[in-house]
Amino acid sequence: MAALAAATNINGVTCVVPAFNASQTIDACLASLLAQRTDLELEVGVVDDGSEDDTSVKARQWQARFARLQMSLRVVQQPSNGGAARARNVGIEHASYDWILTCDADDTSRPQRVEALRRAAETQPGAKNTLFGSRFSRDPPNATERYATWANSLSSERLFLERFRECTLIQPTWFFHRALWRNAGRYDADGETCDDLRFFLRHVGRGGLLHRVEEDLVVYTLSEGCLLYTSDAADDTPCVDLGGRRI
């Protein structure tokens, strides 16, 4: 009875895709979202963060295909580049639905991603105070291999116990309610690195919950031109690129 009382009803999901000079990857990203196998209302919001290429043009070319499947694709163009954190905030502000799926413009989602996360949220007590994520694959497969192995192999207990050491749920897999974003103080759009880690630490620091779906739901891409550094969580983790994106 307690589980029934705690059940959450999700009517729709907004996927927020921050994009900067993503012309070479945005098609694959959007194709994977269009292929989601779910009966939920699904909206995709691409936030073009001042791209100097044709990212927005390519994104808008997908709008008719989304509309044919009764899905919504919106493109928001920023006048200048302000970083992924600001773009995510803008996308969440413009979202039609309160449940938010994160997806970077160079990553792809498995067809069952939305539905698997929906099932988890609808059965998890305290879902609106829970940051959901999943297992993931890397592209190329050997990219930060030890980090991926560490993150994917964490038990539920270690997911909780190591939460102040590192993002035990990787941001490209996140799914959360908009109230959680507000309560965590939004993403820090200050141009500094590790905005995901800072958001994560504020969430768990205020008693926020974590839950990982034990399925590989995201292909997490190693972008070219990244600047890496290491910590003791694994020999090749965490990694940050010049734009502050953890890889």
Side-chain angles (χ1 to χ4, degrees):
M1 293 297 293
L4 289 175
T8 299
N9 184 33
I10 299 176
N11 297 316
V13 169
T14 294
C15 179
V16 175
V17 183
F20 176 67
N21 290 348
S23 177
Q24 298 302 310
T25 61
I26 193 68
D27 286 336
C29 174
L30 294 178
S32 74
L33 295 172
L34 185 65
Q36 291 300 300
R37 296 195 293 259
T38 181
D39 60 357
L40 280 176
E41 297 287 332
L42 181 60
E43 171 188 64
V44 175
V46 175
V47 182
D48 184 342
D49 191 34
S51 293
E52 299 165 344
D53 62 10
D54 60 348
T55 294
S56 287
V57 173
K58 283 196 169 184
R60 289 192 177 97
Q61 289 172 348
W62 284 85
Q63 287 177 321
R65 278 173 275 189
F66 273 75
R68 282 196 292 270
L69 294 181
Q70 287 75 55
M71 298 165 66
S72 172
L73 171 60
R74 296 197 296 171
V75 180
V76 178
Q77 252 181 303
Q78 296 290 89
S80 61
N81 178 249
R86 187 186 73 172
R88 290 190 186 98
N89 286 336
V90 169
I92 295 170
E93 288 166 356
H94 283 79
S96 299
Y97 302 106
D98 283 330
W99 283 95
I100 306 297
L101 187 76
T102 62
C103 185
D104 289 332
D106 56 355
D107 295 336
T108 57
S109 299
R110 306 294 190 190
Q112 72 274 24
R113 184 185 179 196
V114 169
E115 194 61 22
L117 290 165
R118 172 215 196 158
R119 287 196 302 269
E122 289 191 334
T123 57
Q124 175 76 9
K128 291 182 180 179
N129 189 39
T130 301
L131 184 61
F132 295 89
S134 72
R135 294 187 180 189
F136 61 96
S137 297
R138 293 306 315 255
D139 181 24
N142 63 347
T144 59
E145 185 173 5
R146 295 188 183 186
Y147 183 35
T149 300
W150 169 80
N152 280 324
S153 65
L154 288 172
S155 65
S156 296
E157 181 181 27
R158 289 180 63 205
L159 193 75
F160 176 77
L161 292 177
E162 298 190 30
R163 67 196 186 283
F164 291 115
R165 179 186 185 189
E166 176 51 58
C167 280
T168 53
L169 288 176
I170 309 307
Q171 178 173 244
T173 73
W174 285 359
F175 180 62
F176 53 84
H177 193 272
R178 184 155 35 192
L180 183 152
W181 168 75
R182 293 193 187 102
N183 292 335
R186 304 158 51 102
Y187 288 97
D188 292 334
D190 54 8
E192 298 297 325
T193 59
C194 298
D195 59 271
D196 58 342
L197 178 59
R198 287 182 282 163
F199 181 100
F200 182 89
L201 290 175
R202 288 197 300 272
H203 169 66
V204 297
R206 56 179 294 276
L209 306 175
L210 303 172
H211 180 86
R212 188 181 68 197
V213 173
E214 300 305 323
E215 295 182 55
D216 175 353
L217 299 179
V218 173
V219 179
Y220 186 14
T221 302
L222 173 64
S223 300
E224 295 182 1
C226 61
L227 176 66
L228 309 182
Y229 74 90
T230 62
S231 80
D232 63 353
D235 285 356
D236 53 6
T237 177
C239 308
V240 178
D241 71 8
L242 292 173
R245 182 190 172 203
R246 301 173 60 75
I247 61 164

